[in-house]
Structures are given as structure tokens and as C-alpha cells.
Amino acid sequence: MTMKSPQPAKLHGYGVRWDTEARCYRVRNEMTGQWLRSAATGELASFTFFSDAWSAWKVFEVHKRPGEQ
């Protein structure tokens, strides 16, 4: 699937987003607007489990979030 827009449509959530069409989680750096992509293929990274996507997001978007010290 080729994405023409830098931000896939129909995704909701903060950082970790559910892609309703692909039926998987996607990860976005909310500070830069950049989407996490596969290093091997360059395609948007996809995750079956929220916990895996959350872990990837915590590494991908490195900054203090509300409530963190």
C-alpha cells in the first residue's frame, strides 16, 4: 500500500493509533508528525498488539510526557 499523504487518514489516538483499514496499530511521533516506518522496507510500521506499539512509541517519541519526571 502506497501512502501519498505523510499522515494516513482515519487514524485516531495519541502516538499509538489504530488503523481501521489495515486493522493494526501505527506509531506516530506527535512532536514531529513523523510516522514510524520499517527500517527494512520503509513502509509504515504495523503492530498487532497495543503493548508492542506503545513500547515502540516510547522509544520513537523521546520527550517527557505529562506526569513523567
Side-chain angles (χ1 to χ4, degrees):
M1 169 166 58
T2 303
M3 298 271 179
K4 293 179 182 176
S5 170
Q7 179 172 337
K10 300 182 183 177
L11 297 185
H12 52 86
Y14 178 87
V16 175
R17 298 179 178 211
W18 177 251
D19 186 335
T20 54
E21 291 181 10
R23 299 186 56 144
C24 63
Y25 291 100
R26 306 284 191 194
V27 174
R28 182 171 188 248
N29 183 322
E30 297 297 333
M31 299 299 288
T32 66
Q34 181 181 17
W35 291 91
L36 180 62
R37 297 188 174 270
S38 167
T41 65
E43 293 182 14
L44 287 175
S46 62
F47 300 88
T48 303
F49 301 105
F50 179 84
S51 59
D52 293 340
W54 179 259
S55 295
W57 176 70
K58 286 173 60 177
V59 173
F60 186 57
E61 183 175 319
V62 180
H63 73 279
K64 289 187 179 182
R65 293 161 201 70
E68 287 186 343
Q69 295 184 12

